[in-house]
Amino acid sequence: AQSVAQPEDQVNVAEGNPLTVKCTYSVSGNPYLFWYVQYPNRGLQFLLKYITGDNLVKGSYGFEAEFNKSQTSFHLKKPSALVSDSALYFCAVRDDFDADKLIFGTGTRLQVFP
Amino acid sequence: DSGVTQTPKHLITATGQRVTLRCSPRSGDLSVYWYQQSLDQGLQFLIHYYNGEERAKGNILERFSAQQFPDLHSELNLSSLELGDSALYFCASSPSDGRELFFGEGSRLTVL
């Protein structure tokens, strides 16, 4: 069965500094990987995905993520954080061996300080 | 706006009662997923329907059931409600397996 781990409950970063939100996964087959963001009292919004191809994936709002197969990781990054990036971020994985489920991590709260 | 519509947005009910949550997917999307988000358990996958057929079940209690109708809207039925069922229930739709999901704004259920 597929699983995903987000080891940090919260990440704090100063505005203008680079940010990283970590995600590791476990699948039986090949992974389909996703990042979502959730603002207070809202649904989840899609940021980016890795299906195949380049290991560095670019997404919305200046975010990018790097797929690392050997480390089974898919960390979310942004070169320069904004206060408005403060939100709850979820990593999710779908296993192509069991493609009918999309499993989410527990979420990481990103706090960007002015 | 994701194009996924969930009703009601808020629902307050008592223990032992039954409620129905409704989801209208994006136009053309055949897949509907249901998730439960509670404070202590994150986002839990409940069930996935594709074009009217159940495709996968997650951590869905026997007191809960769902279905997807011919017009592709879906309903999640929660019965014999307990205090611990209080949560945000999200519906998401997707045009096909492997593609990203588009989430509704959620239905917040409070069981008193």
Side-chain angles (χ1 to χ4, degrees):
Chain A
Q2 62 270 59
S3 65
V4 59
Q6 294 182 244
E8 303 154 316
D9 289 336
Q10 181 154 331
V11 169
N12 299 316
V13 64
E15 189 174 32
N17 283 0
L19 69 88
T20 298
V21 182
K22 296 179 181 178
C23 171
T24 58
Y25 66 90
S26 174
V27 295
S28 299
N30 294 311
Y32 298 167
L33 294 155
F34 304 82
W35 276 102
Y36 285 81
V37 60
Q38 185 181 28
Y39 297 99
N41 300 314
R42 302 296 301 275
L44 278 69
Q45 296 177 34
F46 168 75
L47 279 180
L48 52 80
K49 66 182 177 184
Y50 172 83
I51 304 296
T52 187
D54 288 342
N55 290 341
L56 185 63
V57 178
K58 294 188 183 297
S60 306
Y61 313 121
F63 284 94
E64 57 189 30
E66 186 167 12
F67 171 63
N68 187 316
K69 188 172 183 177
S70 63
Q71 297 185 4
T72 61
S73 67
F74 190 57
H75 301 332
L76 181 70
K77 301 182 180 185
K78 187 173 183 181
S80 179
L82 299 172
V83 172
S84 57
D85 292 330
S86 299
L88 188 56
Y89 289 81
F90 288 96
C91 182
V93 65
R94 190 197 300 272
D95 185 345
D96 72 347
F97 188 72
D98 181 14
D100 290 315
K101 301 178 183 178
L102 182 63
I103 303 302
F104 284 80
T106 51
T108 298
R109 186 165 301 282
L110 174 66
Q111 190 72 45
V112 182
F113 294 95
Chain B
D1 182 6
S2 68
V4 178
T5 303
Q6 289 188 248
T7 56
K9 293 191 185 311
H10 301 277
L11 190 56
I12 301 174
T13 188
T15 54
Q17 295 298 304
R18 172 190 171 94
V19 298
T20 297
L21 308 180
R22 181 187 169 98
C23 170
S24 295
R26 295 188 324 153
S27 177
D29 284 358
L30 300 180
S31 275
V32 169
Y33 297 74
W34 286 97
Y35 288 86
Q36 179 193 57
Q37 185 179 33
S38 53
L39 283 175
D40 59 346
Q41 291 195 4
L43 205 66
Q44 298 291 316
F45 168 69
L46 295 178
I47 200 163
H48 168 206
Y49 277 86
Y50 179 83
N51 202 22
E53 293 187 5
E54 181 186 303
R55 290 291 289 264
K57 269 187 175 180
N59 300 320
I60 187 166
L61 299 172
E62 286 191 9
R63 300 183 286 109
F64 296 0
S65 64
Q67 59 186 129
Q68 187 179 25
F69 294 88
D71 66 353
L72 301 177
H73 91 271
S74 178
E75 293 181 356
L76 179 66
N77 300 296
L78 316 175
S79 61
S80 303
L81 285 168
E82 302 175 359
L83 295 176
D85 297 328
S86 296
L88 258 175
Y89 291 84
F90 285 108
C91 167
S93 74
S94 171
S96 62
D97 291 342
R99 295 271 306 269
E100 62 269 24
L101 272 58
F102 296 88
F103 280 80
E105 295 291 296
S107 292
R108 183 174 293 280
L109 173 66
T110 302
V111 182
L112 300 176

